[in-house]
Amino acid sequence: MMTSDTMFVISRRAILSVLLALPVLLALPALAQTGATDPLPSWSDTATKKAIVTFVERVTKQGSPELVPPAERIATFDNDGTLWAEQPIYFQLAFALDRVKSLAPMHPEWKDKEPFASLLKGDLKGALAGGEAAIFEIVTVTHSGMTTVEFDNIVRDWIATARHPITKRLYTEMVYQPMLELLAYFRANGFKTFIVSGGGIDFMRVFAERVYGVPPEQVIGSSGKLAFEFRDSSPILMKLPDLNFNDDKTGKPVGIQMHIGRQPIAAFGNSDGDLQMFEWAKGGGGVRFALLVHHTDAEREWAYDRSSSIGHLDKALDTAQAMGWTVVDMKNDWKQIFPFGSK
Amino acid sequence: MMTSDTMFVISRRAILSVLLALPVLLALPALAQTGATDPLPSWSDTATKKAIVTFVERVTKQGSPELVPPAERIATFDNDGTLWAEQPIYFQLAFALDRVKSLAPMHPEWKDKEPFASLLKGDLKGALAGGEAAIFEIVTVTHSGMTTVEFDNIVRDWIATARHPITKRLYTEMVYQPMLELLAYFRANGFKTFIVSGGGIDFMRVFAERVYGVPPEQVIGSSGKLAFEFRDSSPILMKLPDLNFNDDKTGKPVGIQMHIGRQPIAAFGNSDGDLQMFEWAKGGGGVRFALLVHHTDAEREWAYDRSSSIGHLDKALDTAQAMGWTVVDMKNDWKQIFPFGSK
């Protein structure tokens, strides 16, 4: 006969054994991702996928001389063309163009002033004929002159309603399913994931946490200067019309140092704007990983590289091939492009 | 008699009950800190300690309308005079002065050039007679002209060996025991703790993780410009002699926005340089906390405020008193000052 004492002993033993197994139980989600369940189901079984998994296993395997402590597992991701699409124009530029239309009634002078005059007539090509100066002017009038909270609300409204001109999907749906899986896979293996993008830091922060699982403090991007002021006795940060930081090309390693203060051990990008970030990540000691997304699928997404002004990829492709970095051939390496399917 | 089937059933039930209790078990360290074990043993049982605990309980209590989600539990801490001491001179200035002496053999021209000439004769007062310009020159020659990795090593060597002129302790021992407890207490309650200091970002990152438990990516400070270059085919970041960002006064809310992208709900400081950070933290909605450390203990530490050039505290003290912010009276509120005791 079992006494209540025996029961207690058995229960306590059982409890103890569960408690002792706690570390294993807590690690289950991570184990499941690297074991029985494929953590990267949208990736074809190619050398690219194998390179990703091999890198993660090398730097996370307990007892291995290549083991990297969790605090140093820093992975940096470009955004445009790496985490979400960037065709036919950068999505943040689409936002700026929509804002110009919304603001036009308050700026009657724009009717005779480029690049606004062309833009308001629907002539995007004419508006952008002014090159970088035209783009800078469009970005400035749409990204400054308001508080950070006001800007946040403007982007929040736009991102919840604006639709991609070709797929008619929300822009936040135009994210790459394989990269969402990759972000989660790295985090499940103890990596801290950062966005390091030429895009605007305040713009990306509005959706990065919800869409990518990357909190605002792990988003690095280009920015304008800010001024701390009071309005009606309340403190505000005004967005000024002056560039503070250009987080592109050589700016990416600088932005990484300013915000993270550690060299990443893995970097993900898709254009020449990411070359220096790759070089910086690969420049440290030990096992390092660089992955370049090459847009090769004209049917399901877009195909472009050396001759494209958007996501221009030339020198970084040559360097990746010469150095043996991992290059994603989107057409062959990705089973699925967007969460909803394809373009 | 107990069959093995029964045993299995009992064990499984026991296991299940433990699993169901997992959230509670996992929360135990946090509970212990707010319950039986005092998480702030170096704080006297005064209104100050009560204000700290009351704030944390209000924003973390499940089901409370004042509950703040963990992602928004951002706490920002000044460093000099708030987490570690700053008398008789800012410790980073002591580092710079030591560096000037080390570098002097390579700069024979300093013998006839202020502020270096006075410094090398041991006349600190004469050297600093040049005011901010003199300090800027001393900081520039000691904080630029090397790579980020080289600077890191220089600080690492210095912080491991240099001793405070009065206590003869390592500078990393000159930290406030009550504030170390407070940092741990906030983190145990789901807060992410950031340093937001006028001090140099690269300087603080060398010891912030080990001493305060704050990783490099959560350190915000003043910085010089950086340049990404190659040396012997290896990528480096050169520290340039130009100011990039001054993380003091109105710079603090700006630095917080740049690095964190969220308004803190709690801020900790000790001087007029922290006033705008306090205002920014208190400026958001909901329950907010601002704590000002007032140096009132001439015997165990130092007593200074309105007339001190180091840790100048005047307007922030008036504002704190007028607004009812929490003010630490170091003499009465802290049982212990440093981990090793007192000055």
Side-chain angles (χ1 to χ4, degrees):
Chain A
M1 205 192 103
M2 201 174 81
T3 65
S4 57
D5 263 14
T6 326
M7 270 190 76
F8 178 68
V9 169
I10 292 169
S11 297
R12 209 170 53 172
R13 267 197 205 145
I15 289 169
L16 270 176
S17 70
V18 171
L19 282 176
L20 290 171
L22 258 184
V24 173
L25 288 169
L26 295 175
L28 269 182
L31 285 180
Q33 298 232 335
T34 55
T37 311
D38 182 355
L40 303 171
S42 299
W43 292 75
S44 305
D45 285 323
T46 60
T48 303
K49 178 173 182 171
K50 198 172 171 192
I52 296 167
V53 173
T54 300
F55 165 73
V56 169
E57 289 178 352
R58 284 176 72 183
V59 297
T60 58
K61 196 182 168 191
Q62 291 302 319
S64 157
E66 297 175 334
L67 179 73
V68 175
E72 293 169 23
R73 292 182 201 162
I74 302 291
T76 54
F77 295 80
D78 170 60
N79 183 38
D80 298 304
T82 300
L83 296 181
W84 74 356
E86 57 186 352
Q87 298 286 357
I89 58 169
Y90 293 120
F91 298 173
Q92 192 174 353
L93 184 56
F95 160 75
L97 300 182
D98 282 354
R99 284 300 295 161
V100 166
K101 286 173 206 155
S102 302
L103 294 169
M106 291 186 288
H107 293 274
E109 75 280 10
W110 284 355
K111 278 204 303 286
D112 310 305
K113 194 185 166 195
E114 290 300 347
F116 307 105
S118 295
L119 251 190
L120 295 173
K121 278 180 257 168
D123 176 12
L124 178 60
K125 209 174 164 184
L128 300 186
E132 280 193 17
I135 291 177
F136 185 77
E137 193 154 6
I138 292 166
V139 170
T140 300
V141 300
T142 54
H143 287 68
S144 66
M146 72 288 279
T147 71
T148 49
V149 173
E150 287 166 349
F151 182 76
D152 192 274
N153 288 330
I154 291 167
V155 177
R156 205 171 293 278
D157 287 348
W158 182 82
I159 206 90
T161 54
R163 303 248 164 202
H164 188 274
I166 294 165
T167 65
K168 308 300 178 198
R169 296 277 177 168
L170 292 175
Y171 285 102
T172 48
E173 294 180 272
M174 300 290 294
V175 293
Y176 302 128
Q177 178 63 28
M179 295 305 289
L180 297 181
E181 293 166 8
L182 191 147
L183 280 165
Y185 173 56
F186 271 69
R187 286 195 292 261
N189 280 281
F191 278 80
K192 211 163 181 177
T193 54
F194 289 82
I195 291 175
V196 179
S197 167
I201 191 166
D202 290 339
F203 180 80
M204 294 184 289
R205 279 168 168 168
V206 173
F207 55 87
E209 187 154 39
R210 175 171 55 90
V211 176
Y212 303 131
V214 177
E217 62 269 27
Q218 287 164 223
V219 175
I220 304 169
S222 297
S223 57
K225 289 202 183 296
L226 299 171
F228 181 76
E229 297 169 4
F230 279 82
R231 182 194 281 172
D232 304 332
S233 347
S234 287
I236 54 167
L237 285 169
M238 278 299 291
K239 288 173 71 70
L240 305 181
D242 309 300
L243 181 71
N244 174 61
F245 185 65
N246 182 12
D247 191 45
D248 199 30
K249 299 191 169 67
T250 58
K252 290 206 174 191
V254 172
I256 287 168
Q257 175 63 21
M258 292 291 176
H259 287 257
I260 310 178
R262 297 193 218 252
Q263 234 165 318
I265 66 166
F268 303 81
N270 78 299
S271 78
D272 280 4
D274 301 311
L275 177 56
Q276 290 80 6
M277 175 169 73
F278 288 135
E279 290 169 333
W280 185 233
K282 293 290 282 189
V287 185
R288 302 281 172 145
F289 192 67
L291 182 144
L292 177 73
V293 175
H294 190 191
H295 294 260
T296 53
D297 196 328
E299 200 180 317
R300 295 187 302 162
E301 206 245 358
W302 286 271
Y304 58 97
D305 47 34
R306 298 183 198 273
S307 62
S308 176
S309 62
I310 286 168
H312 183 69
L313 174 63
D314 184 31
K315 200 179 164 197
L317 185 57
D318 292 340
T319 309
Q321 286 164 347
M323 306 295 283
W325 298 345
T326 301
V327 178
V328 170
D329 175 350
M330 204 180 257
K331 189 170 181 174
N332 291 311
D333 289 330
W334 286 2
K335 287 186 199 164
Q336 188 178 344
I337 306 290
F338 304 113
F340 59 82
S342 308
K343 181 182 79 177
Chain B
M1 204 191 102
M2 203 175 82
T3 65
S4 57
D5 263 16
T6 325
M7 272 190 74
F8 178 68
V9 169
I10 292 170
S11 299
R12 210 170 55 172
R13 266 198 206 144
I15 290 170
L16 269 176
S17 69
V18 171
L19 282 177
L20 289 172
L22 257 184
V24 173
L25 289 169
L26 295 175
L28 269 183
L31 285 180
Q33 297 232 336
T34 54
T37 310
D38 183 355
L40 303 171
S42 299
W43 291 75
S44 305
D45 285 323
T46 60
T48 304
K49 179 174 182 171
K50 197 169 174 197
I52 296 167
V53 174
T54 301
F55 165 73
V56 169
E57 289 179 350
R58 283 177 73 183
V59 297
T60 58
K61 197 181 168 193
Q62 291 303 319
S64 157
E66 296 175 333
L67 179 73
V68 175
E72 292 168 26
R73 293 183 200 161
I74 303 290
T76 54
F77 295 80
D78 171 58
N79 184 39
D80 299 304
T82 301
L83 296 182
W84 75 357
E86 59 186 351
Q87 296 287 358
I89 57 169
Y90 292 120
F91 297 174
Q92 192 174 355
L93 184 56
F95 160 76
L97 300 182
D98 281 354
R99 284 301 294 161
V100 166
K101 287 173 204 155
S102 303
L103 293 169
M106 292 188 288
H107 293 274
E109 76 279 10
W110 285 356
K111 279 203 302 285
D112 310 305
K113 195 184 166 194
E114 291 298 349
F116 307 105
S118 295
L119 251 191
L120 295 173
K121 278 181 259 171
D123 176 13
L124 179 60
K125 208 174 164 185
L128 300 186
E132 279 193 19
I135 291 177
F136 186 76
E137 194 155 5
I138 292 166
V139 170
T140 300
V141 300
T142 55
H143 287 68
S144 64
M146 72 289 280
T147 71
T148 49
V149 173
E150 287 165 350
F151 181 77
D152 192 272
N153 288 330
I154 292 167
V155 177
R156 205 171 294 279
D157 287 348
W158 182 83
I159 204 92
T161 54
R163 303 244 162 205
H164 188 273
I166 293 165
T167 65
K168 309 300 179 197
R169 297 276 178 170
L170 293 174
Y171 285 101
T172 48
E173 294 180 272
M174 300 290 295
V175 294
Y176 301 127
Q177 178 62 28
M179 294 306 288
L180 296 181
E181 293 166 6
L182 191 145
L183 280 165
Y185 173 56
F186 271 69
R187 286 195 292 261
N189 281 282
F191 278 80
K192 211 164 181 175
T193 53
F194 290 80
I195 291 174
V196 179
S197 167
I201 190 167
D202 290 339
F203 180 80
M204 293 185 288
R205 279 168 168 168
V206 172
F207 55 87
E209 186 154 38
R210 174 172 55 88
V211 177
Y212 303 131
V214 177
E217 61 269 27
Q218 286 163 225
V219 176
I220 305 170
S222 297
S223 58
K225 289 203 182 295
L226 299 171
F228 181 75
E229 296 169 6
F230 279 83
R231 180 194 281 174
D232 305 331
S233 343
S234 287
I236 54 167
L237 285 170
M238 278 300 291
K239 286 174 71 73
L240 306 182
D242 309 301
L243 181 72
N244 175 62
F245 184 65
N246 182 13
D247 192 44
D248 199 29
K249 298 191 169 70
T250 57
K252 290 205 174 191
V254 172
I256 287 168
Q257 175 63 20
M258 291 292 177
H259 286 257
I260 310 177
R262 299 193 218 252
Q263 232 163 319
I265 65 166
F268 304 81
N270 77 300
S271 79
D272 280 4
D274 302 310
L275 177 56
Q276 291 79 6
M277 175 169 74
F278 288 135
E279 290 170 332
W280 186 231
K282 292 290 283 189
V287 185
R288 303 281 172 145
F289 191 67
L291 181 145
L292 178 74
V293 175
H294 189 191
H295 294 261
T296 53
D297 196 328
E299 199 180 318
R300 295 187 302 161
E301 207 243 1
W302 287 270
Y304 58 97
D305 48 33
R306 297 183 200 272
S307 62
S308 176
S309 62
I310 287 169
H312 183 69
L313 173 63
D314 184 31
K315 200 180 165 197
L317 185 57
D318 292 339
T319 309
Q321 285 163 347
M323 306 295 283
W325 298 345
T326 301
V327 179
V328 171
D329 174 350
M330 204 180 259
K331 190 170 181 174
N332 291 311
D333 289 330
W334 286 2
K335 288 187 200 164
Q336 188 177 343
I337 305 289
F338 303 113
F340 59 84
S342 306
K343 181 182 77 174

